[in-house]
DNA sequence: CCATTTGGTTACCCACAGGTAACTGGTTTC
DNA sequence: GAAACCAGTTACCTGTGGGTAACCAAATGG
């Protein structure tokens, strides 16, 4: 007799699917951090963002920003000055993540001394 | 003149550090999902967990559980029955993540139709 | 008696995330 | 006139996350 997956309550499945979907937008090492910076600091230029998000390479930042833009979490604005300046900011959709970011931030602060930090 | 990182408000830095620390516990593809299952369903055995977390390999589950245990988010209990049964459950520390998980779940449900799901 | 279950471990392997470094081309600063 | 800046792009390379599959030993199910 093959063991089947235990059936669980519908609302649990919905929540779990919710978590999965949310994570599909925030996967990888950097996205949540980039969004956090845009959320706490606001609109930023490429190089400023790079300086804020410590340790990120241009290539990686560029790629992550494209992903985030594709998911409509941020928008890129190019000012045709010389030299061009480019600014990134959260869309309204992106800003709707603030509750998640905030909760994570608060939790991190509250439990800092209990977290074993691997650096 | 070398450009320096823009100075930002202290509480912003604290929050950002909080986000970073939080993520250091939840990194990778699976941890958040495993915790979600333990949170919504409760204490589970290894194979049940494997059946719930769709697509995860034994090896990966085993490794992720060890990581989570090391960070004291879950505890492993081995009952010396024959054959051994092993149960995993969230610690109080692990349960303290519920606000984060819940927020992510809610957000995922609310914005489901706006999320471009890569599957 | 054969298959399946439990809770993993081990070996093998590969794709890809992500790091390093160099380069662009016009512009301002020292 | 040398150097740094901006917003990336390209080439190259490495680590590792994570997948597949086989295996264990005792016990239960059909």
């Amino acid at each position: 007799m093959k063991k089947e997956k235990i059936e669980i309550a519908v609302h649990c499945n919905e929540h779990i699917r919710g978590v999965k979907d949310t994570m599909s937008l925030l996967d990888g090492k950097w996205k949540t951090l980039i969004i956090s910076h845009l959320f706490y600091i606001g609109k930023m230029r490429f190089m400023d963002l790079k300086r804020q998000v410590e340790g990120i390479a241009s290539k990686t930042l560029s790629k992550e920003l494209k992903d985030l833009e594709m998911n409509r979490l941020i928008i890129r604005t190019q000012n045709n000055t010389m030299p061009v300046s480019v600014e990134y900011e959260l869309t309204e959709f992106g800003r709707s993540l603030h509750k998640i970011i905030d909760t994570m931030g608060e939790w991190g602060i509250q439990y800092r001394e209990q977290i074993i930090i691997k650096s």
Side-chain angles (χ1 to χ4, degrees), chain A:
Chain A
M1 184 189 56
K2 196 126 158 190
K3 269 251 187 156
E4 298 291 341
K5 186 169 130 180
I6 298 162
E7 286 300 322
I8 59 172
V10 175
H11 76 274
C12 291
N13 272 324
E14 272 178 11
H15 269 257
I16 288 168
R17 195 181 62 181
V19 172
K20 260 193 225 174
D21 292 347
T22 302
M23 288 202 310
S24 79
L25 298 190
L26 301 178
D27 67 327
K29 193 175 166 180
W30 298 107
K31 293 197 185 63
T32 313
L33 214 48
I34 293 171
I35 293 173
S36 302
H37 279 95
L38 290 173
F39 177 60
Y40 288 118
I41 307 177
K43 188 195 284 193
M44 293 180 85
R45 308 181 58 172
F46 186 87
M47 287 306 286
D48 287 329
L49 203 42
K50 183 178 147 119
R51 272 185 288 267
Q52 290 296 333
V53 182
E54 279 167 35
I56 198 166
S58 294
K59 191 192 83 171
T60 309
L61 179 56
S62 168
K63 184 217 146 212
E64 300 289 294
L65 288 171
K66 273 180 198 155
D67 286 357
L68 292 172
E69 204 191 349
M70 234 180 44
N71 285 318
R72 301 190 314 287
L73 292 171
I74 62 171
I75 58 167
R76 197 188 101 113
T77 318
Q78 184 170 334
N79 306 315
N80 282 328
T81 51
M82 269 306 171
V84 284
S85 94
V86 178
E87 284 180 320
Y88 293 91
E89 62 185 314
L90 293 172
T91 59
E92 197 167 331
F93 185 38
R95 259 174 277 127
S96 74
L97 285 165
H98 87 272
K99 215 172 150 185
I100 295 176
I101 304 287
D102 235 35
T103 310
M104 289 179 70
E106 294 289 352
W107 191 89
I109 291 170
Q110 190 174 348
Y111 292 98
R112 174 145 241 264
E113 66 275 14
Q114 290 184 55
I115 301 174
I116 300 155
I117 289 150
K118 353 167 181 170
S119 60

